[in-house]
């Protein structure tokens, strides 16, 4: 049915149909070829068009069943051309009429600007009051009842349609597609003002409508519809009696009215949803406006900085500039360094150039095979002075002893001091050192003392235990002390084996 | 007890050198992502802060309660070799869309403590729509959602965004995905390291492209070095920081890249001493040559990538291309490099599968040269690729003896 709206010749088809539509309004139901041509101009088709093309177009519209051909056999024609020109009369089919109506409707929706007119609400209330009066007077004419009811319904329809378009318009506005900030601001500010005004009056008017509905219902809706039916003087239709269907439609409309202003089931009237929509729209619009104003006012807050940076990124000339900007603004990039060094860097004098100095040792496999192969780091050269090595060895040993001591002492969870039982003397010294530090610290509110070693790596937490005494033995003697609850935390958590060893010992005792 | 004291000093020194390099490699370390590293930095906060402040003039912020350590790196000459990367397997660098979105998202996250991916996307749509300098953001397009997800995941990796429910990735498939986030606003603010806030420069949007090159130096200008009337102290401070920043952040520091007074500082006895001490404390092996300096990190922890390395074909090719490059003092043209790469591909037909195609040699040469320039070993000038002096340290060891 709407095929004529697309394609190359859509405009011509549209113009032709419009010509027929206009003719229809003047009650000319059939047009000949020349009449169509004459009316095309008024339908907005200004180009010249050849007869054949026009015929083609009309034929096409016929195959789409939008036009019908009426023939007049009463006259005599000399040529086929004349026959076509004067005999064939085209008229719109029902489908054609519907198509025109639909297109017009679509255009009007597109052109419509949504507005919530409070005046419509007033008109609805007025008509209802009028109905109330009419129903109250015994002598009033059914015809008046009918026409008033129809007015009421058309106002109601207008209200629904307007709300729909207004809502759509609002959503479009909220989507914030306005590129021109100045008009954007203006339009939105005006909308906000309008909405506020609208809200102020909405309550009162909705209330007026609701009470008018109630009043009419006191007189009886059924009666109202019956009288309107009589006033309508429905034309007879073939088949069934049109009255029940008509009445049914009226009742549905009345239910719609109630749903809007006075729902029977006690739910919220739909007119209040208008409230919500409008209020939400005001809030959102104000937020958007705020954002615009805020973006104009330059403050150096972090959010502003990020926004500004976004603009810079959007405007950076080249891709490398993007990365440079990232590096400058965020400084989150990693350092980058070579990892291959000379085995003994001090052997190469610093006065040499790189070209003269010996190269670093790169895995031969990597270079020669070109295949992916794990290569190891260059081996450490065991070197120069034996003394240096010995010292390093000694240092390592001491270090290892220390580590071992911490491993033994690391408890993880709190244990009793007595749980340590028998200890190696070196380890015992470490423990004593830690205890000394902890006891030197001032206890906090819960009587808990905390201390760390001077390197900060090991932490001890000391809590008073029950009144028991702990005895620690080493190869050189024994220590008796209150049985504190001790918690020693070592980086890496100590090794579980050693720790459980301590506990096992405690259980054995 | 004296041995204990010695051991403590030793342990501290080791910790500090590790901490320095860890922070250089990752300027933002969160407790959540890497507990042990964070512990180490928290424990050695004092000496680490001092090291960075004295040598590089970089502020180290450690927040034990909030659980993050942030080294506010300021680079004197920002380069393009270390972009933000997409948190996916390809690790492709961020594009314009993602960088822009990252900033918009960060700005939108700041005022809200908790949000969902849908609400956030709506805010981003609005923010983009009301700012004429930004392109529109459209959640209906999958590629746009993908970009947003990349950005969110990067923020998650920084710890600025915590996923409390749902999976960010789901947003790629559906804009209806439900993901709940908590925003760490302080960390978010700490992401910006530039000493001058971009919004303070107040450049009108339409002048941005034209004035872009002058913006970056403005962004990293530090007032403590003074301007044209800098005092002697400020001047020395600037020299020390600018030289050491480059030494510890860049792979190579060639003398010819320094200004006259920077070079004078570096070669002066004081300068040398400071550089050596800094490298030692940082656990670097300092390689001093007549034509430049290099801080080598033998453990490879202060770096985002390694060279020479076998982790990609381009890196292996880069190592092999160094030979012809160092042999040609005038450098090589792209065509010559392509020929060399072609030669490699033919010699090892089983290797570098992804490059064994029509324009494979050209791509391989391009990628390899990129590796070399990123490591400061080559330079592209006037269309030719020229080896930098430091490239010679990767020569074939036998070359000097075997070829006349």
């Amino acid at each position: 049915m709407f095929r004529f709206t697309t394609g190359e010749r859509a405009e011509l088809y549209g113009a032709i149909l419009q010509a027929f539509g206009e003719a229809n309004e003047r009650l000319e139901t059939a047009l000949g070829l020349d009449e169509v041509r004459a009316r095309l101009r008024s339908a907005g088709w200004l180009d010249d068009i050849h007869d054949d093309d026009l015929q083609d177009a009309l034929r096409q519209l016929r195959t789409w069943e939008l036009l019908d051909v009426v023939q007049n056999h009463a006259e005599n024609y000399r040529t086929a051309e004349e026959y076509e020109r004067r005999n064939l009369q085209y008229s719109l089919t029902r489908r054609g009429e519907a198509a025109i109506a639909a297109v017009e409707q679509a255009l009007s929706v597109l052109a419509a600007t949504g507005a919530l007119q409070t005046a419509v609400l007033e008109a609805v209330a007025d008509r209802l009051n009028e109905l109330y009066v009419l129903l109250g007077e015994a002598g009033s004419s059914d015809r008046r009842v009918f026409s008033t009811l129809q007015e009421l319904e058309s106002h109601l329809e207008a209200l629904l349609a307007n709300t729909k378009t207004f809502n759509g318009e609002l959503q479009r506005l909220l989507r914030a597609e306005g590129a021109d900030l100045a008009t954007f601001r203006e339009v939105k500010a005006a909308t906000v003002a309008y909405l506020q005004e609208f809200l102020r009056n909405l309550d009162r008017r909705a209330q007026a409508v609701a009470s008018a509905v109630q009043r009419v219902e006191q007189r009886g809706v059924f009666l109202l519809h019956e009288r309107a039916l009589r006033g309508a003087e429905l034309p007879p239709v073939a088949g069934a009696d049109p009255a029940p269907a008509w009445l049914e439609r009226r009742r549905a409309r009345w239910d719609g009215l109630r749903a809007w202003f006075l729902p029977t089931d006690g739910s919220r009237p739909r007119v209040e949803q208008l409230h919500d929509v409008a209020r939400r729209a005001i809030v959102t619009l104000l937020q958007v406006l705020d954002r615009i104003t805020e973006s104009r006012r330059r403050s150096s807050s972090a959010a502003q900085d990020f926004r500004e940076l976004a603009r810079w990124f959007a405007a950076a000339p080249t891709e490398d500039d993007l990365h440079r900007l990232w590096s400058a603004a965020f400084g989150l990039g990693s350092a980058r360094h070579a990892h291959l060094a000379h085995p003994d860097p001090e052997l190469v004098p610093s006065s040499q150039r790189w070209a003269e100095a010996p190269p670093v040792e790169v895995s031969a496999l990597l270079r020669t095979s070109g295949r992916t192969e794990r290569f190891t780091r260059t081996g450490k050269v065991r070197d120069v002075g034996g003394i240096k090595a010995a010292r390093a060895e000694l240092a390592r040993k001491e270090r290892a002893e220390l580590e071992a001591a911490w491993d033994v002492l690391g408890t993880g969870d709190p244990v009793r001091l007595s749980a340590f039982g028998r200890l190696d003397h070196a380890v015992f010294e470490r423990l004593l050192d830690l205890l000394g530090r902890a006891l030197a610290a001032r206890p906090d509110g819960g009587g808990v003392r905390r201390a760390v070693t001077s390197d900060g790596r090991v932490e001890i937490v000391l809590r008073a235990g029950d009144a028991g005494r702990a005895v620690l033995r080493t190869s050189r003697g024994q220590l008796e002390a209150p049985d504190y609850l001790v918690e020693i935390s070592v980086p890496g958590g100590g090794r579980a084996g050693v720790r459980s060893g301590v506990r096992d010992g405690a259980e054995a005792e | 007890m004296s041995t204990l004291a010695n051991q403590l000093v030793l342990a501290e020194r080791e910790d500090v050198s590790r901490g320095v390099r860890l922070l250089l490699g990752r300027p933002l370390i969160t407790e959540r992502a890497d507990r042990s590293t964070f512990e180490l930095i928290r424990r050695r906060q004092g000496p680490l802060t001092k090291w960075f402040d004295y040598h590089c003039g970089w502020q180290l912020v450690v927040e034990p309660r909030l659980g993050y350590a942030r080294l506010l790196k300021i680079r004197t000459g920002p380069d393009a070799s270390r972009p933000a990367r997409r948190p996916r397997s390809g690790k492709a660098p961020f594009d314009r869309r993602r960088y822009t979105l990252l900033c918009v998202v960060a700005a939108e996250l700041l005022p809200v403590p908790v949000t969902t991916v849908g609400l956030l996307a709506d805010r981003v749509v609005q923010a983009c729509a009301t700012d004429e300098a930004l392109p529109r953001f459209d959640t209906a397009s999958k590629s746009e959602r993908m970009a947003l997800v990349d950005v969110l995941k990067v923020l998650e990796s920084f710890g600025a965004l915590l996923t409390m429910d749902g999976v960010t990735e789901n947003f790629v498939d559906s804009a209806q995905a439900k993901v709940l986030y908590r925003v760490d606003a302080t960390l978010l603010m700490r992401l910006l390291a530039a000493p001058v806030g971009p919004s303070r420069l107040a450049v009108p949007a339409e002048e941005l492209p034209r004035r872009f090159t002058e913006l970056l130096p403005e962004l990293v200008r530090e007032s403590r070095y003074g301007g044209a009337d800098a005092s002697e102290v400020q001047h020395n401070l600037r020299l020390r920081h600018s030289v050491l920043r480059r030494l510890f952040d860049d792979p190579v520091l060639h003398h010819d890249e320094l200004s006259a007074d920077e070079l004078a500082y570096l070669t002066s006895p004081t300068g040398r001493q400071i550089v050596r001490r800094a490298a030692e404390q940082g656990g670097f092996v300092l390689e001093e040559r007549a034509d430049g300096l290099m801080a080598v990190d033998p453990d490879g922890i202060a770096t985002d990538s390694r060279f020479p390395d076998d982790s990609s074909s381009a890196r292996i090719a880069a190592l092999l291309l160094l030979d012809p490059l160092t042999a040609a003092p005038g450098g090589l043209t792209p065509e010559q490099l392509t020929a060399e790469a072609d030669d490699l591909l033919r010699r090892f037909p089983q290797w570098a599968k992804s490059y064994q195609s029509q324009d494979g040699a050209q791509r391989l040469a391009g990628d390899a040269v990129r590796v070399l320039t990123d490591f400061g070993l080559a330079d592209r000038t006037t269309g030719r690729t020229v080896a930098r002096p430091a490239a010679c340290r990767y020569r074939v060891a036998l070359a000097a003896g075997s070829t006349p």
Side-chain angles (χ1 to χ4, degrees), chain A residues 84-97:
Chain A
E84 285 211 324
R85 266 185 181 282
R86 295 181 39 203
N87 177 30
L88 292 186
Q89 299 255 309
Y90 296 88
S91 66
L92 281 174
T93 60
R94 286 188 75 88
R95 279 171 72 98
E97 280 174 29

PDB file of all heavy atoms in Angstrom, chain A residues 84-97:
ATOM      1  N   GLU A  84      -7.768   7.677 -24.799  1.00  0.00           N
ATOM      2  CA  GLU A  84      -7.060   7.624 -23.514  1.00  0.00           C
ATOM      3  C   GLU A  84      -7.186   8.932 -22.765  1.00  0.00           C
ATOM      4  O   GLU A  84      -7.345   8.980 -21.558  1.00  0.00           O
ATOM      5  CB  GLU A  84      -5.578   7.326 -23.742  1.00  0.00           C
ATOM      6  CG  GLU A  84      -5.352   5.873 -24.111  1.00  0.00           C
ATOM      7  CD  GLU A  84      -4.011   5.374 -23.634  1.00  0.00           C
ATOM      8  OE1 GLU A  84      -3.055   6.171 -23.662  1.00  0.00           O
ATOM      9  OE2 GLU A  84      -3.929   4.207 -23.225  1.00  0.00           O
ATOM     10  N   ARG A  85      -7.090  10.015 -23.544  1.00  0.00           N
ATOM     11  CA  ARG A  85      -7.117  11.323 -22.915  1.00  0.00           C
ATOM     12  C   ARG A  85      -8.472  11.634 -22.284  1.00  0.00           C
ATOM     13  O   ARG A  85      -8.555  12.200 -21.211  1.00  0.00           O
ATOM     14  CB  ARG A  85      -6.823  12.408 -23.946  1.00  0.00           C
ATOM     15  CG  ARG A  85      -5.376  12.787 -23.985  1.00  0.00           C
ATOM     16  CD  ARG A  85      -5.157  13.944 -24.929  1.00  0.00           C
ATOM     17  NE  ARG A  85      -3.749  14.254 -24.933  1.00  0.00           N
ATOM     18  CZ  ARG A  85      -3.160  14.925 -23.968  1.00  0.00           C
ATOM     19  NH1 ARG A  85      -3.868  15.382 -22.977  1.00  0.00           N
ATOM     20  NH2 ARG A  85      -1.884  15.143 -24.005  1.00  0.00           N
ATOM     21  N   ARG A  86      -9.505  11.330 -23.038  1.00  0.00           N
ATOM     22  CA  ARG A  86     -10.797  11.851 -22.618  1.00  0.00           C
ATOM     23  C   ARG A  86     -11.700  10.807 -21.998  1.00  0.00           C
ATOM     24  O   ARG A  86     -12.588  11.128 -21.224  1.00  0.00           O
ATOM     25  CB  ARG A  86     -11.481  12.517 -23.801  1.00  0.00           C
ATOM     26  CG  ARG A  86     -10.705  13.726 -24.232  1.00  0.00           C
ATOM     27  CD  ARG A  86     -11.321  14.456 -25.385  1.00  0.00           C
ATOM     28  NE  ARG A  86     -12.751  14.527 -25.342  1.00  0.00           N
ATOM     29  CZ  ARG A  86     -13.496  14.724 -26.419  1.00  0.00           C
ATOM     30  NH1 ARG A  86     -12.903  14.878 -27.594  1.00  0.00           N
ATOM     31  NH2 ARG A  86     -14.797  14.802 -26.325  1.00  0.00           N
ATOM     32  N   ASN A  87     -11.445   9.557 -22.391  1.00  0.00           N
ATOM     33  CA  ASN A  87     -12.357   8.549 -21.886  1.00  0.00           C
ATOM     34  C   ASN A  87     -11.964   8.029 -20.501  1.00  0.00           C
ATOM     35  O   ASN A  87     -12.789   7.926 -19.616  1.00  0.00           O
ATOM     36  CB  ASN A  87     -12.433   7.381 -22.854  1.00  0.00           C
ATOM     37  CG  ASN A  87     -13.331   6.287 -22.298  1.00  0.00           C
ATOM     38  OD1 ASN A  87     -14.273   6.593 -21.563  1.00  0.00           O
ATOM     39  ND2 ASN A  87     -13.039   5.078 -22.631  1.00  0.00           N
ATOM     40  N   LEU A  88     -10.667   7.725 -20.362  1.00  0.00           N
ATOM     41  CA  LEU A  88     -10.259   7.106 -19.106  1.00  0.00           C
ATOM     42  C   LEU A  88     -10.302   8.116 -17.979  1.00  0.00           C
ATOM     43  O   LEU A  88      -9.673   9.159 -18.051  1.00  0.00           O
ATOM     44  CB  LEU A  88      -8.857   6.522 -19.243  1.00  0.00           C
ATOM     45  CG  LEU A  88      -8.749   5.328 -20.187  1.00  0.00           C
ATOM     46  CD1 LEU A  88      -7.345   4.752 -20.134  1.00  0.00           C
ATOM     47  CD2 LEU A  88      -9.782   4.273 -19.851  1.00  0.00           C
ATOM     48  N   GLN A  89     -11.072   7.807 -16.985  1.00  0.00           N
ATOM     49  CA  GLN A  89     -11.148   8.670 -15.818  1.00  0.00           C
ATOM     50  C   GLN A  89     -10.622   7.884 -14.633  1.00  0.00           C
ATOM     51  O   GLN A  89     -10.955   6.711 -14.467  1.00  0.00           O
ATOM     52  CB  GLN A  89     -12.603   9.060 -15.559  1.00  0.00           C
ATOM     53  CG  GLN A  89     -13.203   9.812 -16.702  1.00  0.00           C
ATOM     54  CD  GLN A  89     -13.325  11.286 -16.407  1.00  0.00           C
ATOM     55  OE1 GLN A  89     -13.864  11.652 -15.375  1.00  0.00           O
ATOM     56  NE2 GLN A  89     -12.821  12.123 -17.279  1.00  0.00           N
ATOM     57  N   TYR A  90      -9.786   8.519 -13.868  1.00  0.00           N
ATOM     58  CA  TYR A  90      -9.204   7.813 -12.731  1.00  0.00           C
ATOM     59  C   TYR A  90      -9.842   8.303 -11.444  1.00  0.00           C
ATOM     60  O   TYR A  90     -10.170   9.475 -11.301  1.00  0.00           O
ATOM     61  CB  TYR A  90      -7.692   8.060 -12.646  1.00  0.00           C
ATOM     62  CG  TYR A  90      -6.955   7.509 -13.835  1.00  0.00           C
ATOM     63  CD1 TYR A  90      -6.775   8.263 -14.989  1.00  0.00           C
ATOM     64  CD2 TYR A  90      -6.439   6.208 -13.804  1.00  0.00           C
ATOM     65  CE1 TYR A  90      -6.098   7.760 -16.081  1.00  0.00           C
ATOM     66  CE2 TYR A  90      -5.762   5.694 -14.883  1.00  0.00           C
ATOM     67  CZ  TYR A  90      -5.585   6.476 -16.020  1.00  0.00           C
ATOM     68  OH  TYR A  90      -4.923   5.958 -17.095  1.00  0.00           O
ATOM     69  N   SER A  91      -9.983   7.394 -10.526  1.00  0.00           N
ATOM     70  CA  SER A  91     -10.463   7.822  -9.209  1.00  0.00           C
ATOM     71  C   SER A  91      -9.724   7.012  -8.140  1.00  0.00           C
ATOM     72  O   SER A  91      -9.163   5.950  -8.419  1.00  0.00           O
ATOM     73  CB  SER A  91     -11.969   7.592  -9.095  1.00  0.00           C
ATOM     74  OG  SER A  91     -12.226   6.209  -9.128  1.00  0.00           O
ATOM     75  N   LEU A  92      -9.739   7.537  -6.943  1.00  0.00           N
ATOM     76  CA  LEU A  92      -9.051   6.861  -5.845  1.00  0.00           C
ATOM     77  C   LEU A  92      -9.830   5.641  -5.393  1.00  0.00           C
ATOM     78  O   LEU A  92     -11.051   5.691  -5.307  1.00  0.00           O
ATOM     79  CB  LEU A  92      -8.918   7.810  -4.658  1.00  0.00           C
ATOM     80  CG  LEU A  92      -7.815   8.853  -4.720  1.00  0.00           C
ATOM     81  CD1 LEU A  92      -7.938   9.779  -3.522  1.00  0.00           C
ATOM     82  CD2 LEU A  92      -6.447   8.223  -4.753  1.00  0.00           C
ATOM     83  N   THR A  93      -9.129   4.563  -5.117  1.00  0.00           N
ATOM     84  CA  THR A  93      -9.778   3.424  -4.492  1.00  0.00           C
ATOM     85  C   THR A  93      -9.801   3.679  -2.980  1.00  0.00           C
ATOM     86  O   THR A  93      -9.221   4.650  -2.490  1.00  0.00           O
ATOM     87  CB  THR A  93      -8.985   2.134  -4.746  1.00  0.00           C
ATOM     88  OG1 THR A  93      -7.698   2.309  -4.188  1.00  0.00           O
ATOM     89  CG2 THR A  93      -8.877   1.861  -6.223  1.00  0.00           C
ATOM     90  N   ARG A  94     -10.403   2.784  -2.232  1.00  0.00           N
ATOM     91  CA  ARG A  94     -10.386   2.937  -0.769  1.00  0.00           C
ATOM     92  C   ARG A  94      -8.963   2.835  -0.232  1.00  0.00           C
ATOM     93  O   ARG A  94      -8.566   3.552   0.662  1.00  0.00           O
ATOM     94  CB  ARG A  94     -11.256   1.842  -0.114  1.00  0.00           C
ATOM     95  CG  ARG A  94     -12.733   2.071  -0.285  1.00  0.00           C
ATOM     96  CD  ARG A  94     -13.514   1.074   0.559  1.00  0.00           C
ATOM     97  NE  ARG A  94     -13.484   1.410   1.973  1.00  0.00           N
ATOM     98  CZ  ARG A  94     -14.369   2.224   2.539  1.00  0.00           C
ATOM     99  NH1 ARG A  94     -15.334   2.761   1.818  1.00  0.00           N
ATOM    100  NH2 ARG A  94     -14.293   2.494   3.828  1.00  0.00           N
ATOM    101  N   ARG A  95      -8.230   1.912  -0.871  1.00  0.00           N
ATOM    102  CA  ARG A  95      -6.824   1.801  -0.468  1.00  0.00           C
ATOM    103  C   ARG A  95      -6.076   3.098  -0.711  1.00  0.00           C
ATOM    104  O   ARG A  95      -5.264   3.538   0.093  1.00  0.00           O
ATOM    105  CB  ARG A  95      -6.148   0.688  -1.284  1.00  0.00           C
ATOM    106  CG  ARG A  95      -6.418  -0.705  -0.763  1.00  0.00           C
ATOM    107  CD  ARG A  95      -5.877  -1.700  -1.772  1.00  0.00           C
ATOM    108  NE  ARG A  95      -4.416  -1.725  -1.745  1.00  0.00           N
ATOM    109  CZ  ARG A  95      -3.719  -2.640  -1.070  1.00  0.00           C
ATOM    110  NH1 ARG A  95      -4.362  -3.574  -0.415  1.00  0.00           N
ATOM    111  NH2 ARG A  95      -2.425  -2.619  -1.078  1.00  0.00           N
ATOM    112  N   GLY A  96      -6.389   3.695  -1.865  1.00  0.00           N
ATOM    113  CA  GLY A  96      -5.720   4.960  -2.193  1.00  0.00           C
ATOM    114  C   GLY A  96      -6.042   6.023  -1.172  1.00  0.00           C
ATOM    115  O   GLY A  96      -5.166   6.757  -0.715  1.00  0.00           O
ATOM    116  N   GLU A  97      -7.330   6.086  -0.805  1.00  0.00           N
ATOM    117  CA  GLU A  97      -7.718   7.094   0.189  1.00  0.00           C
ATOM    118  C   GLU A  97      -6.995   6.863   1.504  1.00  0.00           C
ATOM    119  O   GLU A  97      -6.479   7.790   2.133  1.00  0.00           O
ATOM    120  CB  GLU A  97      -9.222   7.033   0.420  1.00  0.00           C
ATOM    121  CG  GLU A  97     -10.010   7.751  -0.656  1.00  0.00           C
ATOM    122  CD  GLU A  97     -11.519   7.545  -0.484  1.00  0.00           C
ATOM    123  OE1 GLU A  97     -11.953   7.357   0.676  1.00  0.00           O
ATOM    124  OE2 GLU A  97     -12.229   7.577  -1.495  1.00  0.00           O
TER     125      GLU A  97
END
